[in-house]
Amino acid sequence: MTESFYGTNQQIYLFKQDPDHTFRAATVGSGLEAINTMNAGVYDVIPLDFDRDGDEDLLVGFADGVTPLQLWRNEVGTQKSWLSLTLAGGGPPEHANRAGIGARIEVTAGGVTQTREVYAGPGQHAPQAPLAQQFGLGSATVIDRIRVRWPNPARSVIERTNIPVNRFLRLREVCTVAGDPTGLLVSRGGADLVLTWDDPGVSGLAWNVYRGSVPDPAGWGPALAPWVGDADTATPGIQYRDAGAAGGSTALFYLVSAVDDCGERAR
């Protein structure tokens, strides 16, 4: 299914794939020609399962500035097997790809592998794409394999096998949160306090630096310096300089926590 928004050809088109892999026009027979005969200028058609019954409905927009959005509900039903798959990306607040945008999904069932990539929308003047990925599975009674390649630095992959058909499925990114730093030292550098800890040499790793005036970090609040990297690669280890911290008379306590695409270890 597609639509055209150029010139006077602002219409919706539905095509059906035949066994020889060619396509034939099916707009009129489907009943969707009624949208074209409105002459309101079709502008963005979004397939989505509005009522969560397994089949796709249509949200139709128009370009005439008068006709409101229309929801065309699929009343034919699910005559074949299907899967609705949503991804949940891992990661800490403000640094997480919760929707899994950019993930690559492969679904194999009945000897056929379908591939999708999760994306937010098709571009200029276009709406957001539904994040739930719909797969038609024909007469298959089981999904042989689901393979997801996540868009993280490691391009990690998860697989699930032998999944029943006709269901809404949510897959989460599998993550192992980085460990705590080792060899943490605090030294004076003029009016500053300089924190140094061992560099584990792990790709994609950063550090949250916390500071408080009491020993228990539970009441310290947010990180003093979030997502600290190695600012001085010529010096061994990771360094963070707390400017002016050595000039006061109040005792200070520090905690450094590793953080990566999977989040932060609880402190």
Side-chain angles (χ1 to χ4, degrees):
M1 187 185 64
T2 186
E3 81 269 4
S4 173
F5 185 63
Y6 292 97
T8 59
N9 187 30
Q10 299 176 1
Q11 297 187 347
I12 183 174
Y13 295 93
L14 180 68
F15 297 90
K16 184 175 182 179
Q17 185 178 17
D18 288 327
D20 62 356
H21 302 295
T22 61
F23 290 85
R24 56 186 170 87
T27 312
V28 175
S30 69
L32 296 179
E33 182 66 17
I35 298 176
N36 294 332
T37 58
M38 294 172 57
N39 295 320
V42 176
Y43 184 60
D44 290 327
V45 180
I46 307 172
L48 75 165
D49 189 357
F50 171 79
D51 48 8
R52 290 180 62 82
D53 61 356
D55 58 36
E56 287 190 299
D57 312 294
L58 294 178
L59 186 64
V60 183
F62 300 92
D64 62 357
V66 177
T67 307
L69 285 171
Q70 292 185 358
L71 176 66
W72 285 64
R73 183 172 174 175
N74 187 345
E75 298 291 1
V76 175
T78 52
Q79 300 177 343
K80 299 289 185 178
S81 300
W82 56 273
L83 169 70
S84 179
L85 176 60
T86 304
L87 301 183
E94 300 181 6
H95 292 272
N97 184 357
R98 297 291 186 219
I101 301 296
R104 183 182 179 90
I105 304 170
E106 296 178 0
V107 174
T108 301
V112 176
T113 297
Q114 301 179 57
T115 303
R116 301 275 178 83
E117 290 191 356
V118 182
Y119 72 113
Q124 184 180 20
H125 300 301
Q128 178 177 325
L131 296 176
Q133 306 299 307
Q134 306 290 133
F135 294 88
L137 305 177
S139 57
T141 58
V142 66
I143 301 169
D144 301 311
R145 187 187 73 163
I146 299 176
R147 183 179 189 272
V148 179
R149 187 192 70 189
W150 296 92
N152 53 37
R155 298 294 189 267
S156 61
V157 173
I158 63 170
E159 290 190 2
R160 299 290 185 269
T161 58
N162 298 321
I163 304 104
V165 299
N166 302 338
R167 64 188 53 239
F168 296 93
L169 185 64
R170 184 179 180 90
L171 293 181
R172 295 185 178 276
E173 183 177 6
V174 177
C175 285
T176 301
V177 179
D180 292 329
T182 57
L184 178 61
L185 297 174
V186 180
S187 60
R188 182 186 294 268
D192 306 335
L193 291 178
V194 180
L195 283 68
T196 306
W197 58 94
D198 296 335
D199 184 355
V202 177
S203 176
L205 196 62
W207 310 88
N208 287 345
V209 178
Y210 297 87
R211 185 185 71 186
S213 57
V214 294
D216 185 2
W220 289 3
L224 169 69
W227 285 75
V228 172
D230 191 359
D232 184 5
T233 56
T235 302
I238 311 294
Q239 304 84 33
Y240 171 74
R241 181 176 292 268
D242 190 0
S249 58
T250 303
L252 296 176
F253 301 86
Y254 290 92
L255 183 149
V256 179
S257 178
V259 58
D260 59 14
D261 287 335
C262 298
E264 179 183 23
R265 181 177 295 275
R267 61 185 177 92

